[in-house]
Amino acid sequence: VPPDNVALPVNGGGLRSRWLRLRERCLTSPVFHRFALAFPLTRPVVRKRQAELFHMVSGFVHSQVLLACLELDVLHTVRGEGATLAQIADLTGLAPDATRRLIEAARALRLLEADGELYRPGDLGAALIANPGVQAMVLHHKAFYADLGDPVALLRQSKGNTQLARYWRYATSDDPANSSADDVSAYSDLMAESQRMVVCEVLAAYDFSTHRRVLDMGGGQGVFLREVLNANPTLEGILFDLPAVASRAQTSFEQTGLSARVEVKGGSFFEGDMPSGADLVSLVRILHDHDDPAARLILKAAWQALQPGGKLLICEPMQMGKVSAHMCDVYFNFYLHAMGSGTPRSVGALREMALEAGFSRAKPVSTRSPMITGIIVCEK
Ligand SMILES: C[S@@+](CC[C@H](N)C(=O)[O-])C[C@H]1O[C@@H](n2cnc3c(N)ncnc32)[C@H](O)[C@@H]1O
């Protein structure tokens, strides 16, 4: 019996707890497993669970096969005319046996497909070819996979001491505004490459035509703003990002003939130098990179920058429903831990933070592909 001053753990309710304990007793018993596999009515369930567990066991191998295919440019090698095993070996520089293993694995994962003696992109391989942003994301995962090589060490690690943190230097820097051009070039290019699919979803879900001036906070090299302005010819833009990133955005607006419609400003969210005059602010893939205290400051800065009656768009993957469970609870939880800053959040948590920052309303808007982005529209 625990002493009086020790709080007893709260369980989720009598009946459910009893059921969970009964289920645990059965499922942890080898005798039960032998019975369930032998009995024809439970056998399909056992097989399904075995496959699910094996999928988890082999998941890391799946990722590495994908990474190898992209590093060796296998998908582009087989595109169009197709390629034989010998041709793939030639072009990748792998020995024939290693090529055969890679091709067999890629076929099983639907990255490749056989057509007689030739190999061509499979349905998932073809979808990857269509999405250079996803390819770029996968390629930069090499640093993340290196960190995941010892997951327990990763979980014990203090922030900033990982390969991924070295890639995203602002995430753990004490002075992000002083990042150098070298510090920001790789991640800024990656963000620009992967932004196209995000802005497509945002444009399909939100009508920008009622706005006059949009401020994209942490706008990177300006891909989001460029696409939004191209789709809304009367709109003007302001891009705000770290000085080294902002100067890359300035160059890209000059090259695309948009500089007359866009003001670019370098600075930090946390230093109170946000430009004013916008009736719409966007935070695209920003809040999840920051821990709660920093995310609150960013929302407050967005609120202060906005004109009265203006709106804020929060666009990033959010925990909602089944689709995002694997993405947020598994993937982003670990990715952002390895990066050294930030956390995935639910729609409810983001809404609450926005209201706390001063917004009067915060409403989720459904998107065609919640895996790419969710959206919350907040009103000042
Ligand atoms: C994950 S990227 C997203 C970029 C862009 N919004 C997109 O979705 O492609 C985060 C951006 O926030 C910028 N950033 C990080 N810390 C910042 C800070 N303290 N002040 C201003 N910008 C910052 C980074 O330079 C980077 O461009």
mmCIF file with all atom_site columns, all heavy atoms in Angstrom, residues 14-37:
data_model
loop_
_atom_site.group_PDB
_atom_site.id
_atom_site.type_symbol
_atom_site.label_atom_id
_atom_site.label_alt_id
_atom_site.label_comp_id
_atom_site.label_asym_id
_atom_site.label_entity_id
_atom_site.label_seq_id
_atom_site.pdbx_PDB_ins_code
_atom_site.Cartn_x
_atom_site.Cartn_y
_atom_site.Cartn_z
_atom_site.occupancy
_atom_site.B_iso_or_equiv
_atom_site.pdbx_formal_charge
_atom_site.auth_seq_id
_atom_site.auth_comp_id
_atom_site.auth_asym_id
_atom_site.auth_atom_id
_atom_site.pdbx_PDB_model_num
ATOM 1   N N   . GLY A 1 14 ? -12.213 2.444   -15.129 1.00 0.00 ? 14 GLY A N   1
ATOM 2   C CA  . GLY A 1 14 ? -12.202 1.056   -14.702 1.00 0.00 ? 14 GLY A CA  1
ATOM 3   C C   . GLY A 1 14 ? -12.278 0.031   -15.811 1.00 0.00 ? 14 GLY A C   1
ATOM 4   O O   . GLY A 1 14 ? -11.391 -0.814  -15.958 1.00 0.00 ? 14 GLY A O   1
ATOM 5   N N   . LEU A 1 15 ? -13.328 0.134   -16.636 1.00 0.00 ? 15 LEU A N   1
ATOM 6   C CA  . LEU A 1 15 ? -13.569 -0.925  -17.626 1.00 0.00 ? 15 LEU A CA  1
ATOM 7   C C   . LEU A 1 15 ? -12.445 -1.001  -18.650 1.00 0.00 ? 15 LEU A C   1
ATOM 8   O O   . LEU A 1 15 ? -11.944 -2.073  -18.976 1.00 0.00 ? 15 LEU A O   1
ATOM 9   C CB  . LEU A 1 15 ? -14.892 -0.612  -18.335 1.00 0.00 ? 15 LEU A CB  1
ATOM 10  C CG  . LEU A 1 15 ? -15.659 -1.847  -18.806 1.00 0.00 ? 15 LEU A CG  1
ATOM 11  C CD1 . LEU A 1 15 ? -15.912 -2.782  -17.638 1.00 0.00 ? 15 LEU A CD1 1
ATOM 12  C CD2 . LEU A 1 15 ? -16.959 -1.419  -19.473 1.00 0.00 ? 15 LEU A CD2 1
ATOM 13  N N   . ARG A 1 16 ? -12.030 0.171   -19.137 1.00 0.00 ? 16 ARG A N   1
ATOM 14  C CA  . ARG A 1 16 ? -10.967 0.207   -20.166 1.00 0.00 ? 16 ARG A CA  1
ATOM 15  C C   . ARG A 1 16 ? -9.648  -0.320  -19.601 1.00 0.00 ? 16 ARG A C   1
ATOM 16  O O   . ARG A 1 16 ? -8.951  -1.088  -20.245 1.00 0.00 ? 16 ARG A O   1
ATOM 17  C CB  . ARG A 1 16 ? -10.799 1.639   -20.681 1.00 0.00 ? 16 ARG A CB  1
ATOM 18  C CG  . ARG A 1 16 ? -9.762  1.751   -21.761 1.00 0.00 ? 16 ARG A CG  1
ATOM 19  C CD  . ARG A 1 16 ? -9.761  3.105   -22.430 1.00 0.00 ? 16 ARG A CD  1
ATOM 20  N NE  . ARG A 1 16 ? -8.437  3.422   -22.924 1.00 0.00 ? 16 ARG A NE  1
ATOM 21  C CZ  . ARG A 1 16 ? -7.882  2.894   -23.999 1.00 0.00 ? 16 ARG A CZ  1
ATOM 22  N NH1 . ARG A 1 16 ? -8.558  2.028   -24.727 1.00 0.00 ? 16 ARG A NH1 1
ATOM 23  N NH2 . ARG A 1 16 ? -6.668  3.218   -24.379 1.00 0.00 ? 16 ARG A NH2 1
ATOM 24  N N   . SER A 1 17 ? -9.340  0.069   -18.370 1.00 0.00 ? 17 SER A N   1
ATOM 25  C CA  . SER A 1 17 ? -8.083  -0.397  -17.769 1.00 0.00 ? 17 SER A CA  1
ATOM 26  C C   . SER A 1 17 ? -8.104  -1.910  -17.627 1.00 0.00 ? 17 SER A C   1
ATOM 27  O O   . SER A 1 17 ? -7.107  -2.587  -17.887 1.00 0.00 ? 17 SER A O   1
ATOM 28  C CB  . SER A 1 17 ? -7.880  0.224   -16.396 1.00 0.00 ? 17 SER A CB  1
ATOM 29  O OG  . SER A 1 17 ? -7.664  1.585   -16.543 1.00 0.00 ? 17 SER A OG  1
ATOM 30  N N   . ARG A 1 18 ? -9.268  -2.449  -17.214 1.00 0.00 ? 18 ARG A N   1
ATOM 31  C CA  . ARG A 1 18 ? -9.347  -3.918  -17.053 1.00 0.00 ? 18 ARG A CA  1
ATOM 32  C C   . ARG A 1 18 ? -9.164  -4.613  -18.390 1.00 0.00 ? 18 ARG A C   1
ATOM 33  O O   . ARG A 1 18 ? -8.478  -5.611  -18.511 1.00 0.00 ? 18 ARG A O   1
ATOM 34  C CB  . ARG A 1 18 ? -10.697 -4.294  -16.426 1.00 0.00 ? 18 ARG A CB  1
ATOM 35  C CG  . ARG A 1 18 ? -10.688 -4.105  -14.924 1.00 0.00 ? 18 ARG A CG  1
ATOM 36  C CD  . ARG A 1 18 ? -11.518 -5.165  -14.219 1.00 0.00 ? 18 ARG A CD  1
ATOM 37  N NE  . ARG A 1 18 ? -12.888 -5.158  -14.686 1.00 0.00 ? 18 ARG A NE  1
ATOM 38  C CZ  . ARG A 1 18 ? -13.896 -4.544  -14.081 1.00 0.00 ? 18 ARG A CZ  1
ATOM 39  N NH1 . ARG A 1 18 ? -13.693 -3.921  -12.961 1.00 0.00 ? 18 ARG A NH1 1
ATOM 40  N NH2 . ARG A 1 18 ? -15.114 -4.571  -14.563 1.00 0.00 ? 18 ARG A NH2 1
ATOM 41  N N   . TRP A 1 19 ? -9.773  -4.031  -19.425 1.00 0.00 ? 19 TRP A N   1
ATOM 42  C CA  . TRP A 1 19 ? -9.638  -4.602  -20.770 1.00 0.00 ? 19 TRP A CA  1
ATOM 43  C C   . TRP A 1 19 ? -8.177  -4.548  -21.241 1.00 0.00 ? 19 TRP A C   1
ATOM 44  O O   . TRP A 1 19 ? -7.638  -5.524  -21.749 1.00 0.00 ? 19 TRP A O   1
ATOM 45  C CB  . TRP A 1 19 ? -10.571 -3.886  -21.755 1.00 0.00 ? 19 TRP A CB  1
ATOM 46  C CG  . TRP A 1 19 ? -10.114 -3.933  -23.184 1.00 0.00 ? 19 TRP A CG  1
ATOM 47  C CD1 . TRP A 1 19 ? -9.773  -2.883  -23.955 1.00 0.00 ? 19 TRP A CD1 1
ATOM 48  C CD2 . TRP A 1 19 ? -9.951  -5.098  -24.007 1.00 0.00 ? 19 TRP A CD2 1
ATOM 49  N NE1 . TRP A 1 19 ? -9.391  -3.302  -25.192 1.00 0.00 ? 19 TRP A NE1 1
ATOM 50  C CE2 . TRP A 1 19 ? -9.485  -4.675  -25.265 1.00 0.00 ? 19 TRP A CE2 1
ATOM 51  C CE3 . TRP A 1 19 ? -10.119 -6.462  -23.791 1.00 0.00 ? 19 TRP A CE3 1
ATOM 52  C CZ2 . TRP A 1 19 ? -9.210  -5.536  -26.311 1.00 0.00 ? 19 TRP A CZ2 1
ATOM 53  C CZ3 . TRP A 1 19 ? -9.848  -7.339  -24.844 1.00 0.00 ? 19 TRP A CZ3 1
ATOM 54  C CH2 . TRP A 1 19 ? -9.394  -6.869  -26.078 1.00 0.00 ? 19 TRP A CH2 1
ATOM 55  N N   . LEU A 1 20 ? -7.512  -3.397  -20.997 1.00 0.00 ? 20 LEU A N   1
ATOM 56  C CA  . LEU A 1 20 ? -6.114  -3.262  -21.432 1.00 0.00 ? 20 LEU A CA  1
ATOM 57  C C   . LEU A 1 20 ? -5.222  -4.281  -20.733 1.00 0.00 ? 20 LEU A C   1
ATOM 58  O O   . LEU A 1 20 ? -4.323  -4.862  -21.338 1.00 0.00 ? 20 LEU A O   1
ATOM 59  C CB  . LEU A 1 20 ? -5.605  -1.841  -21.173 1.00 0.00 ? 20 LEU A CB  1
ATOM 60  C CG  . LEU A 1 20 ? -6.206  -0.750  -22.075 1.00 0.00 ? 20 LEU A CG  1
ATOM 61  C CD1 . LEU A 1 20 ? -5.693  0.628   -21.677 1.00 0.00 ? 20 LEU A CD1 1
ATOM 62  C CD2 . LEU A 1 20 ? -5.897  -1.015  -23.550 1.00 0.00 ? 20 LEU A CD2 1
ATOM 63  N N   . ARG A 1 21 ? -5.499  -4.527  -19.446 1.00 0.00 ? 21 ARG A N   1
ATOM 64  C CA  . ARG A 1 21 ? -4.660  -5.493  -18.712 1.00 0.00 ? 21 ARG A CA  1
ATOM 65  C C   . ARG A 1 21 ? -4.910  -6.904  -19.201 1.00 0.00 ? 21 ARG A C   1
ATOM 66  O O   . ARG A 1 21 ? -3.982  -7.713  -19.331 1.00 0.00 ? 21 ARG A O   1
ATOM 67  C CB  . ARG A 1 21 ? -4.908  -5.368  -17.212 1.00 0.00 ? 21 ARG A CB  1
ATOM 68  C CG  . ARG A 1 21 ? -4.251  -4.104  -16.663 1.00 0.00 ? 21 ARG A CG  1
ATOM 69  C CD  . ARG A 1 21 ? -4.543  -3.868  -15.233 1.00 0.00 ? 21 ARG A CD  1
ATOM 70  N NE  . ARG A 1 21 ? -4.073  -4.954  -14.386 1.00 0.00 ? 21 ARG A NE  1
ATOM 71  C CZ  . ARG A 1 21 ? -4.249  -4.975  -13.074 1.00 0.00 ? 21 ARG A CZ  1
ATOM 72  N NH1 . ARG A 1 21 ? -4.885  -3.986  -12.481 1.00 0.00 ? 21 ARG A NH1 1
ATOM 73  N NH2 . ARG A 1 21 ? -3.792  -5.980  -12.356 1.00 0.00 ? 21 ARG A NH2 1
ATOM 74  N N   . LEU A 1 22 ? -6.171  -7.218  -19.500 1.00 0.00 ? 22 LEU A N   1
ATOM 75  C CA  . LEU A 1 22 ? -6.492  -8.551  -20.020 1.00 0.00 ? 22 LEU A CA  1
ATOM 76  C C   . LEU A 1 22 ? -5.814  -8.758  -21.374 1.00 0.00 ? 22 LEU A C   1
ATOM 77  O O   . LEU A 1 22 ? -5.192  -9.786  -21.645 1.00 0.00 ? 22 LEU A O   1
ATOM 78  C CB  . LEU A 1 22 ? -8.011  -8.691  -20.163 1.00 0.00 ? 22 LEU A CB  1
ATOM 79  C CG  . LEU A 1 22 ? -8.481  -10.004 -20.797 1.00 0.00 ? 22 LEU A CG  1
ATOM 80  C CD1 . LEU A 1 22 ? -8.163  -11.172 -19.852 1.00 0.00 ? 22 LEU A CD1 1
ATOM 81  C CD2 . LEU A 1 22 ? -9.972  -9.970  -21.108 1.00 0.00 ? 22 LEU A CD2 1
ATOM 82  N N   . ARG A 1 23 ? -5.922  -7.732  -22.222 1.00 0.00 ? 23 ARG A N   1
ATOM 83  C CA  . ARG A 1 23 ? -5.316  -7.830  -23.553 1.00 0.00 ? 23 ARG A CA  1
ATOM 84  C C   . ARG A 1 23 ? -3.795  -8.012  -23.436 1.00 0.00 ? 23 ARG A C   1
ATOM 85  O O   . ARG A 1 23 ? -3.198  -8.826  -24.121 1.00 0.00 ? 23 ARG A O   1
ATOM 86  C CB  . ARG A 1 23 ? -5.630  -6.559  -24.359 1.00 0.00 ? 23 ARG A CB  1
ATOM 87  C CG  . ARG A 1 23 ? -5.245  -6.689  -25.819 1.00 0.00 ? 23 ARG A CG  1
ATOM 88  C CD  . ARG A 1 23 ? -5.491  -5.425  -26.579 1.00 0.00 ? 23 ARG A CD  1
ATOM 89  N NE  . ARG A 1 23 ? -4.555  -4.389  -26.165 1.00 0.00 ? 23 ARG A NE  1
ATOM 90  C CZ  . ARG A 1 23 ? -4.458  -3.205  -26.751 1.00 0.00 ? 23 ARG A CZ  1
ATOM 91  N NH1 . ARG A 1 23 ? -5.256  -2.906  -27.751 1.00 0.00 ? 23 ARG A NH1 1
ATOM 92  N NH2 . ARG A 1 23 ? -3.585  -2.319  -26.324 1.00 0.00 ? 23 ARG A NH2 1
ATOM 93  N N   . GLU A 1 24 ? -3.204  -7.251  -22.526 1.00 0.00 ? 24 GLU A N   1
ATOM 94  C CA  . GLU A 1 24 ? -1.748  -7.361  -22.343 1.00 0.00 ? 24 GLU A CA  1
ATOM 95  C C   . GLU A 1 24 ? -1.370  -8.768  -21.906 1.00 0.00 ? 24 GLU A C   1
ATOM 96  O O   . GLU A 1 24 ? -0.408  -9.355  -22.402 1.00 0.00 ? 24 GLU A O   1
ATOM 97  C CB  . GLU A 1 24 ? -1.299  -6.328  -21.310 1.00 0.00 ? 24 GLU A CB  1
ATOM 98  C CG  . GLU A 1 24 ? 0.190   -6.352  -21.033 1.00 0.00 ? 24 GLU A CG  1
ATOM 99  C CD  . GLU A 1 24 ? 0.558   -5.467  -19.859 1.00 0.00 ? 24 GLU A CD  1
ATOM 100 O OE1 . GLU A 1 24 ? 0.108   -4.309  -19.800 1.00 0.00 ? 24 GLU A OE1 1
ATOM 101 O OE2 . GLU A 1 24 ? 1.296   -5.952  -18.981 1.00 0.00 ? 24 GLU A OE2 1
ATOM 102 N N   . ARG A 1 25 ? -2.188  -9.347  -20.962 1.00 0.00 ? 25 ARG A N   1
ATOM 103 C CA  . ARG A 1 25 ? -1.874  -10.709 -20.485 1.00 0.00 ? 25 ARG A CA  1
ATOM 104 C C   . ARG A 1 25 ? -1.896  -11.695 -21.643 1.00 0.00 ? 25 ARG A C   1
ATOM 105 O O   . ARG A 1 25 ? -1.032  -12.557 -21.767 1.00 0.00 ? 25 ARG A O   1
ATOM 106 C CB  . ARG A 1 25 ? -2.875  -11.133 -19.409 1.00 0.00 ? 25 ARG A CB  1
ATOM 107 C CG  . ARG A 1 25 ? -2.462  -10.767 -18.013 1.00 0.00 ? 25 ARG A CG  1
ATOM 108 C CD  . ARG A 1 25 ? -2.664  -11.896 -16.989 1.00 0.00 ? 25 ARG A CD  1
ATOM 109 N NE  . ARG A 1 25 ? -4.008  -12.465 -16.976 1.00 0.00 ? 25 ARG A NE  1
ATOM 110 C CZ  . ARG A 1 25 ? -5.047  -11.924 -16.322 1.00 0.00 ? 25 ARG A CZ  1
ATOM 111 N NH1 . ARG A 1 25 ? -4.883  -10.799 -15.658 1.00 0.00 ? 25 ARG A NH1 1
ATOM 112 N NH2 . ARG A 1 25 ? -6.223  -12.492 -16.338 1.00 0.00 ? 25 ARG A NH2 1
ATOM 113 N N   . CYS A 1 26 ? -2.908  -11.562 -22.518 1.00 0.00 ? 26 CYS A N   1
ATOM 114 C CA  . CYS A 1 26 ? -3.018  -12.485 -23.660 1.00 0.00 ? 26 CYS A CA  1
ATOM 115 C C   . CYS A 1 26 ? -1.859  -12.277 -24.627 1.00 0.00 ? 26 CYS A C   1
ATOM 116 O O   . CYS A 1 26 ? -1.174  -13.221 -25.009 1.00 0.00 ? 26 CYS A O   1
ATOM 117 C CB  . CYS A 1 26 ? -4.322  -12.259 -24.412 1.00 0.00 ? 26 CYS A CB  1
ATOM 118 S SG  . CYS A 1 26 ? -5.748  -12.762 -23.489 1.00 0.00 ? 26 CYS A SG  1
ATOM 119 N N   . LEU A 1 27 ? -1.656  -11.007 -25.018 1.00 0.00 ? 27 LEU A N   1
ATOM 120 C CA  . LEU A 1 27 ? -0.691  -10.739 -26.100 1.00 0.00 ? 27 LEU A CA  1
ATOM 121 C C   . LEU A 1 27 ? 0.755   -10.955 -25.683 1.00 0.00 ? 27 LEU A C   1
ATOM 122 O O   . LEU A 1 27 ? 1.618   -11.130 -26.530 1.00 0.00 ? 27 LEU A O   1
ATOM 123 C CB  . LEU A 1 27 ? -0.874  -9.307  -26.632 1.00 0.00 ? 27 LEU A CB  1
ATOM 124 C CG  . LEU A 1 27 ? -2.192  -9.056  -27.365 1.00 0.00 ? 27 LEU A CG  1
ATOM 125 C CD1 . LEU A 1 27 ? -2.244  -7.640  -27.897 1.00 0.00 ? 27 LEU A CD1 1
ATOM 126 C CD2 . LEU A 1 27 ? -2.408  -10.036 -28.493 1.00 0.00 ? 27 LEU A CD2 1
ATOM 127 N N   . THR A 1 28 ? 1.018   -10.934 -24.383 1.00 0.00 ? 28 THR A N   1
ATOM 128 C CA  . THR A 1 28 ? 2.406   -11.189 -23.972 1.00 0.00 ? 28 THR A CA  1
ATOM 129 C C   . THR A 1 28 ? 2.629   -12.683 -23.688 1.00 0.00 ? 28 THR A C   1
ATOM 130 O O   . THR A 1 28 ? 3.713   -13.078 -23.290 1.00 0.00 ? 28 THR A O   1
ATOM 131 C CB  . THR A 1 28 ? 2.786   -10.370 -22.716 1.00 0.00 ? 28 THR A CB  1
ATOM 132 O OG1 . THR A 1 28 ? 1.790   -10.609 -21.714 1.00 0.00 ? 28 THR A OG1 1
ATOM 133 C CG2 . THR A 1 28 ? 2.873   -8.884  -23.014 1.00 0.00 ? 28 THR A CG2 1
ATOM 134 N N   . SER A 1 29 ? 1.601   -13.502 -23.914 1.00 0.00 ? 29 SER A N   1
ATOM 135 C CA  . SER A 1 29 ? 1.746   -14.930 -23.620 1.00 0.00 ? 29 SER A CA  1
ATOM 136 C C   . SER A 1 29 ? 2.080   -15.730 -24.877 1.00 0.00 ? 29 SER A C   1
ATOM 137 O O   . SER A 1 29 ? 1.310   -15.741 -25.839 1.00 0.00 ? 29 SER A O   1
ATOM 138 C CB  . SER A 1 29 ? 0.429   -15.450 -23.004 1.00 0.00 ? 29 SER A CB  1
ATOM 139 O OG  . SER A 1 29 ? 0.249   -16.805 -23.319 1.00 0.00 ? 29 SER A OG  1
ATOM 140 N N   . PRO A 1 30 ? 3.237   -16.426 -24.893 1.00 0.00 ? 30 PRO A N   1
ATOM 141 C CA  . PRO A 1 30 ? 3.576   -17.259 -26.054 1.00 0.00 ? 30 PRO A CA  1
ATOM 142 C C   . PRO A 1 30 ? 2.514   -18.328 -26.312 1.00 0.00 ? 30 PRO A C   1
ATOM 143 O O   . PRO A 1 30 ? 2.252   -18.674 -27.467 1.00 0.00 ? 30 PRO A O   1
ATOM 144 C CB  . PRO A 1 30 ? 4.912   -17.896 -25.650 1.00 0.00 ? 30 PRO A CB  1
ATOM 145 C CG  . PRO A 1 30 ? 5.462   -17.029 -24.568 1.00 0.00 ? 30 PRO A CG  1
ATOM 146 C CD  . PRO A 1 30 ? 4.295   -16.431 -23.869 1.00 0.00 ? 30 PRO A CD  1
ATOM 147 N N   . VAL A 1 31 ? 1.860   -18.824 -25.248 1.00 0.00 ? 31 VAL A N   1
ATOM 148 C CA  . VAL A 1 31 ? 0.824   -19.858 -25.414 1.00 0.00 ? 31 VAL A CA  1
ATOM 149 C C   . VAL A 1 31 ? -0.334  -19.269 -26.227 1.00 0.00 ? 31 VAL A C   1
ATOM 150 O O   . VAL A 1 31 ? -0.842  -19.886 -27.165 1.00 0.00 ? 31 VAL A O   1
ATOM 151 C CB  . VAL A 1 31 ? 0.317   -20.340 -24.028 1.00 0.00 ? 31 VAL A CB  1
ATOM 152 C CG1 . VAL A 1 31 ? -0.835  -21.328 -24.193 1.00 0.00 ? 31 VAL A CG1 1
ATOM 153 C CG2 . VAL A 1 31 ? 1.464   -20.923 -23.241 1.00 0.00 ? 31 VAL A CG2 1
ATOM 154 N N   . PHE A 1 32 ? -0.719  -18.045 -25.871 1.00 0.00 ? 32 PHE A N   1
ATOM 155 C CA  . PHE A 1 32 ? -1.810  -17.388 -26.606 1.00 0.00 ? 32 PHE A CA  1
ATOM 156 C C   . PHE A 1 32 ? -1.427  -17.223 -28.078 1.00 0.00 ? 32 PHE A C   1
ATOM 157 O O   . PHE A 1 32 ? -2.226  -17.458 -28.973 1.00 0.00 ? 32 PHE A O   1
ATOM 158 C CB  . PHE A 1 32 ? -2.121  -16.026 -25.971 1.00 0.00 ? 32 PHE A CB  1
ATOM 159 C CG  . PHE A 1 32 ? -3.189  -15.268 -26.721 1.00 0.00 ? 32 PHE A CG  1
ATOM 160 C CD1 . PHE A 1 32 ? -4.526  -15.563 -26.535 1.00 0.00 ? 32 PHE A CD1 1
ATOM 161 C CD2 . PHE A 1 32 ? -2.841  -14.286 -27.650 1.00 0.00 ? 32 PHE A CD2 1
ATOM 162 C CE1 . PHE A 1 32 ? -5.512  -14.881 -27.251 1.00 0.00 ? 32 PHE A CE1 1
ATOM 163 C CE2 . PHE A 1 32 ? -3.813  -13.602 -28.370 1.00 0.00 ? 32 PHE A CE2 1
ATOM 164 C CZ  . PHE A 1 32 ? -5.151  -13.902 -28.156 1.00 0.00 ? 32 PHE A CZ  1
ATOM 165 N N   . HIS A 1 33 ? -0.156  -16.846 -28.327 1.00 0.00 ? 33 HIS A N   1
ATOM 166 C CA  . HIS A 1 33 ? 0.282   -16.646 -29.718 1.00 0.00 ? 33 HIS A CA  1
ATOM 167 C C   . HIS A 1 33 ? 0.212   -17.950 -30.496 1.00 0.00 ? 33 HIS A C   1
ATOM 168 O O   . HIS A 1 33 ? -0.227  -17.957 -31.649 1.00 0.00 ? 33 HIS A O   1
ATOM 169 C CB  . HIS A 1 33 ? 1.710   -16.074 -29.757 1.00 0.00 ? 33 HIS A CB  1
ATOM 170 C CG  . HIS A 1 33 ? 1.706   -14.591 -29.601 1.00 0.00 ? 33 HIS A CG  1
ATOM 171 N ND1 . HIS A 1 33 ? 1.601   -13.736 -30.665 1.00 0.00 ? 33 HIS A ND1 1
ATOM 172 C CD2 . HIS A 1 33 ? 1.750   -13.818 -28.498 1.00 0.00 ? 33 HIS A CD2 1
ATOM 173 C CE1 . HIS A 1 33 ? 1.589   -12.488 -30.218 1.00 0.00 ? 33 HIS A CE1 1
ATOM 174 N NE2 . HIS A 1 33 ? 1.671   -12.522 -28.911 1.00 0.00 ? 33 HIS A NE2 1
ATOM 175 N N   . ARG A 1 34 ? 0.648   -19.042 -29.860 1.00 0.00 ? 34 ARG A N   1
ATOM 176 C CA  . ARG A 1 34 ? 0.603   -20.336 -30.563 1.00 0.00 ? 34 ARG A CA  1
ATOM 177 C C   . ARG A 1 34 ? -0.847  -20.678 -30.890 1.00 0.00 ? 34 ARG A C   1
ATOM 178 O O   . ARG A 1 34 ? -1.171  -21.106 -31.988 1.00 0.00 ? 34 ARG A O   1
ATOM 179 C CB  . ARG A 1 34 ? 1.238   -21.431 -29.699 1.00 0.00 ? 34 ARG A CB  1
ATOM 180 C CG  . ARG A 1 34 ? 2.770   -21.453 -29.807 1.00 0.00 ? 34 ARG A CG  1
ATOM 181 C CD  . ARG A 1 34 ? 3.335   -22.781 -29.332 1.00 0.00 ? 34 ARG A CD  1
ATOM 182 N NE  . ARG A 1 34 ? 3.112   -23.023 -27.911 1.00 0.00 ? 34 ARG A NE  1
ATOM 183 C CZ  . ARG A 1 34 ? 3.890   -22.514 -26.948 1.00 0.00 ? 34 ARG A CZ  1
ATOM 184 N NH1 . ARG A 1 34 ? 4.938   -21.779 -27.244 1.00 0.00 ? 34 ARG A NH1 1
ATOM 185 N NH2 . ARG A 1 34 ? 3.629   -22.762 -25.677 1.00 0.00 ? 34 ARG A NH2 1
ATOM 186 N N   . PHE A 1 35 ? -1.730  -20.443 -29.924 1.00 0.00 ? 35 PHE A N   1
ATOM 187 C CA  . PHE A 1 35 ? -3.149  -20.742 -30.154 1.00 0.00 ? 35 PHE A CA  1
ATOM 188 C C   . PHE A 1 35 ? -3.704  -19.854 -31.293 1.00 0.00 ? 35 PHE A C   1
ATOM 189 O O   . PHE A 1 35 ? -4.351  -20.334 -32.214 1.00 0.00 ? 35 PHE A O   1
ATOM 190 C CB  . PHE A 1 35 ? -3.954  -20.491 -28.865 1.00 0.00 ? 35 PHE A CB  1
ATOM 191 C CG  . PHE A 1 35 ? -5.422  -20.303 -29.123 1.00 0.00 ? 35 PHE A CG  1
ATOM 192 C CD1 . PHE A 1 35 ? -6.242  -21.396 -29.389 1.00 0.00 ? 35 PHE A CD1 1
ATOM 193 C CD2 . PHE A 1 35 ? -5.982  -19.018 -29.168 1.00 0.00 ? 35 PHE A CD2 1
ATOM 194 C CE1 . PHE A 1 35 ? -7.593  -21.212 -29.680 1.00 0.00 ? 35 PHE A CE1 1
ATOM 195 C CE2 . PHE A 1 35 ? -7.318  -18.834 -29.458 1.00 0.00 ? 35 PHE A CE2 1
ATOM 196 C CZ  . PHE A 1 35 ? -8.136  -19.941 -29.715 1.00 0.00 ? 35 PHE A CZ  1
ATOM 197 N N   . ALA A 1 36 ? -3.399  -18.541 -31.228 1.00 0.00 ? 36 ALA A N   1
ATOM 198 C CA  . ALA A 1 36 ? -3.984  -17.606 -32.206 1.00 0.00 ? 36 ALA A CA  1
ATOM 199 C C   . ALA A 1 36 ? -3.510  -17.913 -33.622 1.00 0.00 ? 36 ALA A C   1
ATOM 200 O O   . ALA A 1 36 ? -4.255  -17.715 -34.589 1.00 0.00 ? 36 ALA A O   1
ATOM 201 C CB  . ALA A 1 36 ? -3.632  -16.177 -31.822 1.00 0.00 ? 36 ALA A CB  1
ATOM 202 N N   . LEU A 1 37 ? -2.290  -18.406 -33.748 1.00 0.00 ? 37 LEU A N   1
ATOM 203 C CA  . LEU A 1 37 ? -1.783  -18.726 -35.082 1.00 0.00 ? 37 LEU A CA  1
ATOM 204 C C   . LEU A 1 37 ? -2.373  -20.045 -35.583 1.00 0.00 ? 37 LEU A C   1
ATOM 205 O O   . LEU A 1 37 ? -2.627  -20.226 -36.780 1.00 0.00 ? 37 LEU A O   1
ATOM 206 C CB  . LEU A 1 37 ? -0.247  -18.800 -35.043 1.00 0.00 ? 37 LEU A CB  1
ATOM 207 C CG  . LEU A 1 37 ? 0.471   -18.811 -36.382 1.00 0.00 ? 37 LEU A CG  1
ATOM 208 C CD1 . LEU A 1 37 ? 0.113   -17.586 -37.214 1.00 0.00 ? 37 LEU A CD1 1
ATOM 209 C CD2 . LEU A 1 37 ? 1.988   -18.839 -36.163 1.00 0.00 ? 37 LEU A CD2 1
#
